[in-house]
């Protein structure tokens, strides 16, 4: 049986890291500060995490699960077979998150672990991150619905690039958010995605 104190301490450290990366640049996370915040000796952190990267990876899993839960709840009223509508809703949600939760979004999508996920071969089918896995399943559904011949990884990359590029333009004040732009771009990506038999 696991020692509940150990599990509790580990969970408190992860909760601190999740809160920290939601409010700050994730690069600034410190094991020493995490230990102090949860009330343990700095050396005791190493009982739970081998390194800062190990803690960041645990926090990333938790943040990804939180985003996945938010995403599933936001599309719950939609027909689960309407992948284009789900992707549009998720795209709009990510753009909104980038404005309201910029540090958490940067951590979730651009932390070293997330970047390593993107670089792996067959990222689209092999991702371990809950939110990215959910998004990739929706892209696969979109590809199937519209009989797209384009590779899933490329289709995912196009959608992802647009969503994050648009979000950054809004966050940095270059553009004002217009949800019609998200719909239009998704339609353009689908139209140019190698359609065999348009729906």
């Amino acid at each position: 049986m696991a020692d509940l104190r150990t599990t509790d301490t580990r969970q408190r450290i992860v909760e601190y890291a999740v809160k920290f990366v939601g409010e700050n640049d994730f690069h600034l996370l410190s094991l020493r500060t995490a230990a102090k915040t949860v009330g343990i000796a700095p050396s005791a952190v190493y009982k739970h995490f081998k390194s800062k990267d190990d803690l960041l990876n645990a926090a990333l899993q938790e943040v990804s699960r939180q985003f996945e839960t938010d995403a599933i709840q936001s599309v719950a009223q939609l027909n689960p077979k309407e992948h284009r509508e789900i992707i549009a809703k998720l795209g709009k949600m990510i753009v909104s998150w980038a404005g309201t939760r910029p540090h958490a979004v940067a951590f979730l999508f651009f932390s070293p672990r997330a970047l390593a996920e993107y670089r792996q071969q067959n990222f689209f089918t092999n991702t371990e991150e809950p939110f990215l896995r959910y998004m990739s399943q929706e892209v696969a559904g979109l590809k199937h619905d519209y009989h797209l011949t384009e590779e899933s990884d490329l289709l995912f990359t196009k959608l992802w690039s647009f969503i994050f590029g648009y979000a950054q333009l809004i966050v940095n004040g270059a553009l004002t958010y217009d949800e019609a732009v998200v719909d239009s771009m998704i339609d353009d990506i689908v139209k140019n995605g190698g359609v065999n038999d348009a729906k």
Side-chain angles (χ1 to χ4, degrees), residues 11-75:
Q11 185 59 36
R12 286 186 304 137
I13 296 168
V14 171
E15 287 169 3
Y16 165 77
V18 167
K19 184 176 186 315
F20 183 89
V21 300
E23 299 170 355
N24 305 280
D25 181 335
F26 65 88
H27 293 100
L28 302 175
L29 180 68
S30 155
L31 291 178
R32 180 175 296 282
T33 305
K36 182 178 179 182
T37 302
V38 300
I40 61 174
S43 60
V45 171
Y46 293 98
K47 178 178 179 185
H48 306 281
F49 301 98
K50 296 176 194 169
S51 66
K52 176 179 165 178
D53 285 342
D54 194 26
L55 174 55
L56 285 171
N57 289 340
L60 181 63
Q61 285 295 317
E62 183 58 32
V63 170
S64 186
R65 272 191 286 280
Q66 290 172 4
F67 273 73
E68 179 190 34
T69 299
D70 290 352
I72 290 169
Q73 288 173 352
S74 80
V75 299

Side-chain angles (χ1 to χ4, degrees), residues 79-90:
N79 179 337
K81 295 185 180 193
E82 290 293 331
H83 302 288
R84 186 247 171 254
E85 295 305 315
I86 291 171
I87 289 171
K89 180 86 169 181
L90 294 173

Side-chain angles (χ1 to χ4, degrees), residues 50-178:
K50 296 176 194 169
S51 66
K52 176 179 165 178
D53 285 342
D54 194 26
L55 174 55
L56 285 171
N57 289 340
L60 181 63
Q61 285 295 317
E62 183 58 32
V63 170
S64 186
R65 272 191 286 280
Q66 290 172 4
F67 273 73
E68 179 190 34
T69 299
D70 290 352
I72 290 169
Q73 288 173 352
S74 80
V75 299
Q77 76 282 3
L78 298 176
N79 179 337
K81 295 185 180 193
E82 290 293 331
H83 302 288
R84 186 247 171 254
E85 295 305 315
I86 291 171
I87 289 171
K89 180 86 169 181
L90 294 173
K92 293 168 189 174
M93 190 172 68
I94 291 168
V95 171
S96 173
W97 285 341
T100 60
R101 301 163 70 182
H103 294 292
V105 168
F107 175 64
L108 180 61
F109 300 114
F110 302 109
S111 68
R113 171 74 183 268
L115 295 175
E117 286 275 329
Y118 300 144
R119 288 186 198 110
Q120 74 173 327
Q121 188 170 15
N122 300 318
F123 156 74
F124 185 76
T125 54
N126 293 331
T127 184
E128 295 178 15
E129 303 308 326
F131 182 77
L132 295 177
R133 186 174 50 245
Y134 179 69
M135 282 291 294
S136 68
Q137 290 166 351
E138 292 305 320
V139 171
L142 179 74
K143 179 179 171 164
H144 177 267
D145 290 351
Y146 289 87
H147 309 285
L148 302 177
T149 57
E150 195 160 62
E151 291 297 320
S152 296
D153 282 341
L154 182 57
L155 186 59
F156 185 92
T157 300
K158 286 180 178 182
L159 288 164
W160 219 231
S161 298
F162 161 70
I163 289 166
F164 280 103
Y166 188 54
Q168 288 305 305
L169 289 168
I170 293 164
V171 167
N172 289 300
L175 295 175
T176 303
Y177 176 66
D178 179 354

